[in-house]
C-alpha cells in the first residue's frame, strides 16, 4: 500500500496533475457558461476549477429543483453519467471535454425548451432527485 501511494504521488508530480485539473476545469467552466448564454439555459458553471459544478436558477424553486434531474437524465442518454458537478482527473483530455461539451449543448437546448414551454415534468422519466441533507433537516 505504501509503495502504491508513493508511486501515485510521483506520477502526480511528474504529470503535474494539479495544473492539468485546473486547465480542464477552467475550460469546462468557460465553455459551459458560453453554451448556457447561447442556449438561454438557466444554468451557470462555477466553483473551483478542479471541481466545477452547475447552478440552476429559476424564479420557481420547485422547478429549479427538477432541472438537475432532467440534466442528469439527458446527459446519461448522451453517454455522460454523473451529477451536476464535474470531477476531472488525470485521464481526461480534449476528447473527453469535447464529448461532455457536445452532450451539454444538446442537453441545455432541451432544458431551455422545457423551461420556456413548461415541459419539464413531461420530459422527466424518473422521480426528481432530492437534496439528501435538506431532507434530514426539515
Amino acid at each position: 500500500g505504501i509503495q502504491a501511494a508513493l508511486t501515485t504521488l510521483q506520477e502526480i508530480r511528474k504529470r503535474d496533475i494539479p495544473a492539468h485539473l485546473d486547465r480542464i476545469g477552467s475550460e469546462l467552466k468557460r465553455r459551459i457558461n458560453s453554451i448556457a448564454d447561447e442556449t438561454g439555459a438557466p444554468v451557470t458553471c462555477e466553483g473551483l476549477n478542479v471541481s466545477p459544478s452547475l447552478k440552476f436558477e429559476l424564479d420557481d424553486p420547485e422547478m429549479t429543483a427538477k432541472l438537475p434531474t432532467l440534466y442528469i437524465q439527458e446527459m446519461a442518454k448522451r453517454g455522460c453519467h454523473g451529477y451536476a458537478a464535474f470531477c476531472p482527473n488525470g485521464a481526461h483530455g480534449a476528447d473527453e471535454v469535447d464529448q461532455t461539451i457536445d452532450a451539454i449543448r444538446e442537453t441545455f437546448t432541451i432544458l431551455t425548451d422545457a423551461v420556456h414551454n413548461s415541459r419539464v415534468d413531461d420530459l422527466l422519466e424518473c422521480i426528481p432527485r432530492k437534496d439528501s441533507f435538506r431532507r434530514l433537516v426539515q
Side-chain angles (χ1 to χ4, degrees):
I2 292 175
Q3 184 59 46
L6 289 173
T7 302
T8 300
L9 290 172
Q10 289 169 349
E11 195 64 25
I12 288 170
R13 186 177 301 125
K14 183 172 88 179
R15 294 174 54 196
D16 197 6
I17 296 300
H20 174 76
L21 298 180
D22 188 64
R23 277 191 308 276
I24 294 287
S26 176
E27 182 175 352
L28 279 170
K29 285 172 32 180
R30 180 184 56 76
R31 291 175 73 182
I32 289 168
N33 286 326
S34 177
I35 292 168
D37 288 343
E38 289 170 22
T39 62
V43 183
T44 55
C45 188
E46 50 192 40
L48 298 174
N49 289 345
V50 296
S51 183
S53 60
L54 300 180
K55 183 176 180 183
F56 299 86
E57 296 186 66
L58 291 170
D59 292 334
D60 179 355
E62 184 179 330
M63 197 56 61
T64 298
K66 292 177 182 180
L67 283 182
T69 302
L70 184 58
Y71 166 82
I72 292 165
Q73 169 188 298
E74 294 303 318
M75 288 294 285
K77 289 179 181 180
R78 288 154 182 80
C80 295
H81 301 275
Y83 296 101
F86 303 91
C87 299
N89 65 58
H92 290 138
D95 290 343
E96 290 76 21
V97 170
D98 288 344
Q99 177 190 3
T100 301
I101 292 301
D102 290 344
I104 285 173
R105 181 172 276 107
E106 291 177 21
T107 297
F108 279 12
T109 299
I110 291 168
L111 291 178
T112 302
D113 178 67
V115 168
H116 289 304
N117 294 304
S118 302
R119 297 184 57 232
V120 172
D121 289 327
D122 296 337
L123 294 175
L124 283 172
E125 299 172 16
C126 60
I127 297 169
R129 126 188 134 81
K130 300 252 187 227
D131 182 347
S132 299
F133 183 73
R134 188 172 319 280
R135 176 181 53 82
L136 295 172
V137 296
Q138 286 183 344

